[in-house]
Amino acid sequence: EPEVTQTPSHQVTQMGQEVILRCVPISNHLYFYWYRQILGQKVEFLVSFYNNEISEKSEIFDDRFSVERPDGSNFTLKIRSTKLEDSAMYFCASSLDRDSGANVLTFGAGSRLTVL
Amino acid sequence: AQKVTQAQTEISVVEKEDVTLDCVYETRDTTYYLFWYKQPPSGELVFLIRRNSFDEQNEISGRYSWNFQKSTSSFNFTITASQVVDSAVYFCALSGYTGRRALTFGSGTRLQVQP
């Protein structure tokens, strides 16, 4: 069964550093997403991406965050100047088709970010 | 604004018991989707079901069943004859049909099934 793969599974970084989390969505999917889950809390939407641009973003997705699809297969989340409160599990997801109403997101296994 | 409430923080049952996980939602959209996702101890989010707002038929899939009641804005999930492998955190989620498509998740219900 096709899956969304994420790397790294765990990243530890010092406050103020930049991190890049990588995702390979399912190959025929068109919509890409990042969500995060602070330990023990709910899953929160960060950003959605379609046709090489951001289609939606939340208040969490401030100007320290950026996304990119550099090569047609990878989908990356970059966090600059990391803060302690960025520590969370970051989930990448993809979905096939917005207009058909499918909108079923397939999630990756997550990348745990720890900011010290 | 959209909101999903899962009032049950944690439920513990003994294997073979039936258990219902509650989900209540708020939205101004007239059409929308509702979802359940499972998060086992390994941490990934596993899709269980999607329901659109104009289809109020209940659904059964093996030991799982879902009761969607638009009149009470609820989308409850029942596991029949629970098994230890059902132990996980279960999230209810909501998205718009058009416009904003991001999923709004509830806070989750942790289900512990004891042998």
Side-chain angles (χ1 to χ4, degrees):
Chain A
E1 188 170 321
E3 58 180 22
V4 174
T5 56
Q6 290 186 240
T7 54
S9 55
H10 190 190
Q11 171 117 27
V12 181
T13 191
Q14 294 292 321
M15 190 170 57
Q17 296 296 304
E18 175 181 290
V19 296
I20 297 176
L21 306 180
R22 291 182 169 81
C23 170
V24 179
I26 294 173
S27 61
N28 63 337
H29 281 190
L30 302 176
Y31 287 83
F32 314 109
Y33 311 82
W34 284 100
Y35 285 77
R36 80 171 186 189
Q37 183 182 31
I38 295 172
L39 187 63
Q41 298 188 23
K42 68 169 67 176
V43 179
E44 301 173 294
F45 169 72
L46 291 178
V47 66
S48 61
F49 192 84
Y50 170 72
N51 200 26
N52 282 317
E53 59 183 30
I54 290 173
S55 48
E56 291 180 69
K57 61 180 181 178
S58 72
E59 310 77 43
I60 302 168
F61 194 86
D62 63 28
D63 56 9
R64 299 181 301 114
F65 291 79
S66 60
V67 290
E68 194 177 36
R69 189 157 159 81
D71 56 13
S73 61
N74 289 283
F75 179 52
T76 62
L77 174 68
K78 183 189 290 186
I79 310 173
R80 294 183 294 105
S81 305
T82 49
K83 302 178 180 179
L84 296 176
E85 53 264 39
D86 295 330
S87 296
M89 180 73 88
Y90 288 81
F91 290 102
C92 175
S94 66
S95 66
L96 177 60
D97 187 329
R98 170 186 170 125
D99 293 330
S100 74
N103 200 34
V104 173
L105 275 61
T106 301
F107 283 85
S111 292
R112 179 166 297 285
L113 175 64
T114 302
V115 182
L116 303 177
Chain B
Q2 295 182 335
K3 185 178 178 183
V4 177
T5 301
Q6 294 179 256
Q8 303 151 309
T9 307
E10 186 160 347
I11 300 175
S12 183
V13 299
V14 177
E15 209 169 17
K16 297 184 184 174
E17 283 186 31
D18 298 348
V19 58
T20 295
L21 310 181
D22 297 334
C23 173
V24 174
Y25 62 91
E26 296 174 30
T27 180
R28 291 182 187 155
D29 293 340
T30 53
T31 52
Y32 46 88
Y33 284 107
L34 294 161
F35 302 79
W36 278 93
Y37 279 85
K38 174 181 179 179
Q39 187 176 43
S42 49
E44 71 273 25
L45 289 164
V46 179
F47 167 76
L48 294 178
I49 190 171
R50 183 199 73 214
R51 209 67 220 202
N52 59 48
S53 54
F54 40 87
D55 181 2
E56 287 194 67
Q57 271 195 330
N58 291 329
E59 183 155 339
I60 298 175
S61 176
R63 296 184 297 107
Y64 295 170
S65 62
W66 290 269
N67 183 300
F68 174 33
Q69 293 199 334
K70 206 167 179 178
S71 60
T72 56
S73 298
S74 65
F75 185 45
N76 296 337
F77 172 30
T78 297
I79 302 174
T80 303
S82 58
Q83 299 176 2
V84 172
V85 293
D86 295 327
S87 297
V89 180
Y90 291 87
F91 291 97
C92 181
L94 168 70
S95 79
Y97 192 79
T98 58
R100 189 171 192 272
R101 301 297 292 275
L103 291 177
T104 299
F105 282 84
S107 54
T109 297
R110 180 177 299 279
L111 174 65
Q112 301 262 24
V113 182
Q114 309 288 346

